[in-house]
Amino acid sequence: MKKIEMLGYFWVFTSISLCIGLYKLELSKRVFDEEYEYIKKHRAFGNLTKYLIIIAIVSVVLLNCKFLIDKDYLFIARYGVAWSIFVLLIMCTGFYQKRNSLYYKRGLLAIFSILIGIAGSGYALKSMFFK
């Protein structure tokens, strides 16, 4: 098996694992953690994160199906990175808290670090996005 093919299958395994985690954290009706439930209730964007999570899970399932059927590595390289940046933006909406929340400052710090990560990823991959 070629190294790039192994990397593709690693992508599929990792993305499915992340989707299961996103589902458990955001969409599951079971209480995960009292602190996290408080954070979910005091988000500034309300249920927007839940709908973005559904879009992200559907899109990664389609990405994985496209990869497994066509074995198109360039496709997974381009859109896999875009999907990862989309997940980072979802995390930003999930962490942004209302001002009266106990975790407002911690959410701002998390958003700042995620946005720096997005900027770093965008700069590192600028040749792939802007040809």
Side-chain angles (χ1 to χ4, degrees):
M1 193 180 293
K2 297 178 188 174
K3 287 184 180 180
I4 195 154
E5 190 174 352
M6 286 178 57
L7 187 64
Y9 287 118
F10 179 73
W11 157 260
V12 170
F13 175 74
T14 304
S15 61
I16 289 173
S17 302
L18 285 173
C19 282
I20 292 169
L22 287 173
Y23 171 78
K24 286 287 189 188
L25 283 175
E26 295 295 331
L27 302 177
S28 179
K29 298 289 184 194
R30 222 168 116 202
V31 174
F32 177 71
D33 183 24
E34 294 297 327
E35 179 181 341
Y36 187 72
E37 292 301 314
Y38 176 85
I39 289 171
K40 279 173 65 172
K41 287 179 185 171
H42 289 84
R43 286 183 179 150
F45 295 111
N47 287 332
L48 177 65
T49 306
K50 181 168 68 171
Y51 302 124
L52 290 175
I53 291 292
I54 292 169
I55 292 169
I57 290 173
V58 169
S59 65
V60 83
V61 166
L62 293 175
L63 272 174
N64 287 339
C65 288
K66 170 77 172 156
F67 170 73
L68 291 173
I69 292 169
D70 295 343
K71 303 281 190 219
D72 190 359
Y73 302 107
L74 187 61
F75 176 83
I76 205 73
R78 283 195 179 133
Y79 294 103
V81 170
W83 183 80
S84 302
I85 290 174
F86 179 59
V87 169
L88 288 173
L89 287 172
I90 292 170
M91 290 172 68
C92 285
T93 63
F95 280 122
Y96 188 65
Q97 299 290 301
K98 295 176 184 172
R99 284 193 181 269
N100 59 355
S101 173
L102 294 174
Y103 302 109
Y104 178 71
K105 290 181 184 176
R106 190 167 79 177
L108 286 179
L109 183 65
I111 290 171
F112 183 69
S113 61
I114 289 170
L115 290 177
I116 286 178
I118 290 172
S121 299
Y123 181 74
L125 300 167
K126 67 181 176 188
S127 62
M128 184 182 294
F129 288 122
F130 308 109
K131 284 188 176 182

